[in-house]
Amino acid sequence: MARTKEFDENSILTKAMNLFWCKGYNATSAQDLVDGLGISRSSLYDTFGDKHNLFVLSLKEYRKQMGGGLIEMIENSTNAEKTIKQIFQVATTETIEDKLQKGCFMVNSTIELAASDKEIAKIVNENMQDIEDAFCRIVKKGQDLGQFNSLHSAQSLSRFLFNTISGIRVASRSGADKKVYDDIVKVTLSVLK
């Protein structure tokens, strides 16, 4: 007779995501997972497969939570300028308040694994494209309404915005202070005007 699981898979996946986010893939051992998730090694492997598969599932969950929230914010926007400013304010506030200085799980995974792991590269590239596309739509809306200049294409500006927000997440790993982020956001918004 099969044993029933005594844990919530979604809760365990969120714990795994946070563990990998803090430590990275390579620095997270199987024992770290067992200890951090509070489940047995056999339950871990029976439910999620190997460490790599659990990492992939964790990264996809992060993409759904974080990227999905940003895209939803853009899709529901009625004021392009205000929304872009709000996105950068949220990013900087989260960064400043993150005492662990863990940065962005997607950016961290890109740096650590994307060059050597095709499956991770595919996830991070799809994430980048989805966010760039969303930024492109809102920049185009802002250009059409005269809120943003048209010196550069909406696509070029969306790539700039994505790169800037990724850079903010990288800077958080070094413990940059609020003034650094305020300067970055100020210059970023000035490029759009």
Side-chain angles (χ1 to χ4, degrees):
M1 181 164 129
R3 291 178 47 184
T4 58
K5 291 181 185 162
E6 298 177 7
F7 57 86
D8 174 33
E9 286 184 35
N10 291 330
S11 173
I12 296 296
L13 188 57
T14 298
K15 286 180 183 179
M17 178 185 74
N18 286 313
L19 186 60
F20 283 127
W21 188 358
C22 288
K23 295 188 76 164
Y25 177 76
N26 290 314
T28 304
S29 68
Q31 191 60 49
D32 291 333
L33 291 169
V34 169
D35 294 342
L37 305 181
I39 61 174
S40 70
R41 195 174 295 249
S42 62
S43 291
L44 175 68
Y45 290 116
D46 288 347
T47 305
F48 298 105
D50 61 12
K51 174 182 159 182
H52 184 267
N53 190 59
L54 179 57
F55 185 86
V56 167
L57 293 171
S58 297
L59 192 59
K60 286 179 178 180
E61 179 63 21
Y62 178 87
R63 178 181 178 202
K64 184 173 78 176
Q65 288 181 17
M66 303 304 264
L70 184 136
I71 291 168
E72 185 179 338
M73 182 185 287
I74 289 172
E75 297 302 324
N76 294 328
S77 173
T78 57
N79 183 316
E81 184 177 10
K82 186 176 179 180
T83 300
I84 295 290
K85 188 174 185 176
Q86 183 181 13
I87 287 168
F88 278 88
Q89 286 172 336
V90 167
T92 57
T93 299
E94 287 175 352
T95 299
I96 291 165
E97 292 176 354
D98 180 10
K99 301 304 178 206
L100 298 176
Q101 298 175 339
K102 61 187 181 290
C104 169
F105 186 30
M106 193 66 66
V107 172
N108 298 349
S109 299
T110 302
I111 294 166
E112 182 181 12
L113 297 169
S116 61
D117 188 318
K118 289 180 181 179
E119 189 170 10
I120 300 302
K122 183 177 186 295
I123 295 166
V124 298
N125 286 325
E126 288 172 351
N127 180 70
M128 179 179 69
Q129 193 61 58
D130 288 348
I131 292 174
E132 274 186 16
D133 290 348
F135 272 139
C136 191
R137 287 189 297 276
I138 196 160
V139 169
K140 180 73 174 125
K141 182 191 267 186
Q143 287 174 327
D144 291 346
L145 295 171
Q147 293 178 312
F148 301 144
N149 71 59
S150 295
L151 296 173
H152 303 284
S153 70
Q155 184 178 44
S156 295
L157 289 170
S158 71
R159 289 176 174 156
F160 171 73
L161 293 172
F162 179 82
N163 189 57
T164 302
I165 209 160
S166 296
I168 286 171
R169 300 302 193 175
V170 171
S172 75
R173 299 294 303 252
S174 68
D177 65 18
K178 185 176 183 327
K179 174 73 172 118
V180 170
Y181 301 120
D182 289 345
D183 287 345
I184 292 168
V185 173
K186 181 179 176 184
V187 172
T188 300
L189 296 175
S190 75
V191 170
L192 295 173
K193 298 301 270 176

